[in-house]
Amino acid sequence: MRPTLLWSLLLLLGVFAAAAAAPPAQLTLETYQEWCNDSAATHEMGDGELACGGRNNGPQRCPRPHPQESVNLGMCCLTYKRDFADVNPLSQLPAPQHPKIRLYNAEQVLSWEPVALSNSTRPVVYRVQFKYTDSKWFMADIMSIGVNCTQITATECDFTAASPSAGFPMDFNVTLRLRAELGALHSAWVTMPWFQHYRNVTVGPPENIEVTPGEGSLIIRFSSPFDIADTSTAFFCYYVHYWEKGGIQQVKGPFRSNSISLDNLKPFRAYCLQVQAQLLWNKSNIFRVGHLSNISCYETMADASTELQQVILISVGTFSLLSVLAGACFFLVLKYRGLIKYWFHTPPSIPLQIEEYLKDPTQPILEALDKDSSPKDDVWDSVSIISFPEKEQEDVLQTL
């Protein structure tokens, strides 16, 4: 009896050990993932089967799990969570809605509407993949494309965020797809229609436009809407729409240069203009017409002949004006000569000796004048009589 009891105990321990090692019969993604994380690496071997390395049993083949079946997978595990979710529609998230790709100049931006879940507090993240013609799908991460668009919470993936020269090659055929993820759950892939940047891009107006008025001309300088690495495959040509204010619009072009001169314009006239770029892709003979720049107006300068005319007119006008002023002054001098002579005539002044006498009448000023004077000096053109007070007049008569 004792050997039988011992064998019974060993059998019971084996059953408990098998139950602990195997995943549950009714398989769920969360419990299955926990069990798989405790197993060795696995690899896909073909449709419907997975090869996996168990801790004890070694590599073996096992069927994929089915949501309606209870499968004892033994030591097999499932590496890609998407393989389980693809056959379990109850575990899928809603797919991102209304994805769109923005191709403006050098920009390559994928955007979409967020997935809203009312019964979850965790944020939904998104994963973006891309592929070229007849290639496999690649993760949109730093290593592959220069930006990280894997498990991001934003609803936008800017492939040119690192630099304007980043992103997908502009002449490649590119396909994008994205899905939503929440923990172990994910949505179905949403695949975008393929695009080629040169084929589908929206070309903006030229940038950094500078206009310099010249002699009957306008010199326009600008930069291209975006840089093209290989100008042998694609290049820009430019057109200028211009018109005199109130006049008829004219178009000049195409030009390959980033400097354009509008000649034969009327001097001292205001002209308005707009610049437009056009992208030409030689490989597919595709033309992408760009947007017009904002309207700007400038006034032209005088040319050489106009400047000569200005100099002559200014000289003649100045000479005529000076002649008129000189004639008017001469006429006024002749007509108002007496008045002018009166204005500029110096009034008579008292001699210095008499002025001193008037200040001090006791001085013998007259004797001094008689002594200092000589017969040659006693010549006067006129004699002035100065009145004094009566007392001072009597003193003067006495001295005479």
Side-chain angles (χ1 to χ4, degrees):
M1 294 296 294
R2 290 186 177 180
T4 304
L5 180 60
L6 180 61
W7 282 109
S8 299
L9 292 175
L10 291 176
L11 181 61
L12 183 61
L13 291 174
V15 171
F16 283 124
Q26 188 61 38
L27 196 62
T28 63
L29 182 61
E30 289 79 3
T31 55
Y32 188 69
Q33 182 182 12
E34 292 177 0
W35 183 84
C36 283
N37 290 337
D38 204 22
S39 303
T42 64
H43 305 279
E44 288 187 339
M45 300 297 293
D47 292 336
E49 289 185 334
L50 295 175
C52 51
R55 277 182 282 182
N56 300 321
N57 299 336
Q60 51 187 292
R61 292 177 179 269
C62 53
R64 293 176 183 268
H66 193 278
Q68 304 299 328
E69 296 179 359
S70 298
V71 181
N72 187 352
L73 297 179
M75 295 303 296
C76 293
C77 61
L78 187 61
T79 49
Y80 299 100
K81 292 189 294 293
R82 73 169 186 272
D83 294 330
F84 184 89
D86 287 342
V87 297
N88 190 357
L90 297 178
S91 67
Q92 290 186 349
L93 294 176
Q97 298 295 315
H98 306 107
K100 57 183 178 181
I101 181 73
R102 170 182 167 86
L103 302 175
Y104 182 81
N105 288 342
E107 296 179 8
Q108 298 174 348
V109 182
L110 175 65
S111 60
W112 56 91
E113 293 184 2
V115 173
L117 298 177
S118 59
N119 57 352
S120 176
T121 58
R122 292 182 298 172
V124 177
V125 296
Y126 304 92
R127 184 186 302 271
V128 179
Q129 293 183 347
F130 70 94
K131 74 171 184 176
Y132 302 118
T133 305
D134 299 329
S135 72
K136 66 178 183 179
W137 289 101
F138 299 95
M139 290 292 180
D141 53 20
I142 299 293
M143 297 297 295
S144 61
I145 198 63
V147 295
N148 180 36
C149 294
T150 301
Q151 293 187 330
I152 58 175
T153 57
T155 58
E156 179 181 277
C157 179
D158 187 354
F159 300 102
T160 53
S163 67
S165 60
F168 304 106
M170 295 187 177
D171 55 347
F172 276 32
N173 187 316
V174 183
T175 304
L176 299 174
R177 69 178 185 178
L178 74 147
R179 74 180 185 186
E181 298 178 356
L182 180 61
L185 304 178
H186 62 76
S187 70
W189 287 105
V190 179
T191 303
M192 299 287 295
W194 65 269
F195 69 89
Q196 289 174 314
H197 195 98
Y198 286 147
R199 182 187 298 272
N200 305 106
V201 66
T202 299
V203 179
E207 300 178 348
N208 306 317
I209 299 176
E210 296 181 357
V211 179
T212 304
E215 297 180 353
S217 64
L218 294 175
I219 302 173
I220 309 169
R221 297 181 179 87
F222 50 86
S223 57
S224 60
F226 59 91
D227 295 331
I228 296 178
D230 186 3
T231 56
S232 63
T233 59
F235 60 90
F236 285 107
C237 59
Y238 305 97
Y239 294 84
V240 179
H241 302 248
Y242 68 99
W243 62 95
E244 185 181 352
K245 274 191 174 180
I248 301 175
Q249 185 179 109
Q250 304 179 58
V251 180
K252 193 172 183 179
F255 302 95
R256 289 287 301 271
S257 174
N258 290 40
S259 178
I260 301 173
S261 178
L262 298 178
D263 301 319
N264 301 321
L265 303 180
K266 297 178 182 179
F268 298 110
R269 299 293 180 89
Y271 285 86
C272 300
L273 58 88
Q274 292 177 288
V275 187
Q276 183 182 40
Q278 187 179 77
L279 176 64
L280 286 81
W281 187 19
N282 295 333
K283 179 180 178 180
S284 301
N285 196 25
I286 291 177
F287 299 83
R288 298 294 295 176
V289 179
H291 294 171
L292 289 166
S293 65
N294 295 330
I295 299 176
S296 56
C297 300
Y298 305 88
E299 185 174 343
T300 58
M301 299 174 61
D303 54 12
S305 60
T306 306
E307 289 181 352
L308 180 60
Q309 294 175 2
Q310 285 183 332
V311 171
I312 295 175
L313 290 176
I314 293 174
S315 301
V316 172
T318 303
F319 179 76
S320 301
L321 180 61
L322 292 177
S323 300
V324 171
L325 292 176
C329 292
F330 183 72
F331 174 76
L332 293 175
V333 168
L334 292 179
K335 184 176 181 180
Y336 301 99
R337 181 177 56 184
L339 182 59
I340 294 173
K341 184 177 180 181
Y342 172 78
W343 284 347
F344 291 97
H345 178 70
T346 304
S349 59
I350 301 174
L352 181 61
Q353 294 85 352
I354 297 177
E355 184 178 359
E356 292 179 356
Y357 173 75
L358 293 177
K359 292 179 180 179
D360 187 7
T362 58
Q363 294 183 6
I365 185 62
L366 296 180
E367 289 83 353
L369 291 176
D370 291 337
K371 292 180 181 180
D372 295 337
S373 62
S374 59
K376 296 181 180 180
D377 297 330
D378 295 339
V379 179
W380 298 276
D381 292 334
S382 61
V383 177
S384 299
I385 300 174
I386 302 174
S387 61
F388 297 96
E390 294 180 356
K391 184 176 180 181
E392 293 180 357
Q393 187 174 4
E394 291 176 357
D395 294 336
V396 171
L397 293 177
Q398 291 178 2
T399 57
L400 296 176

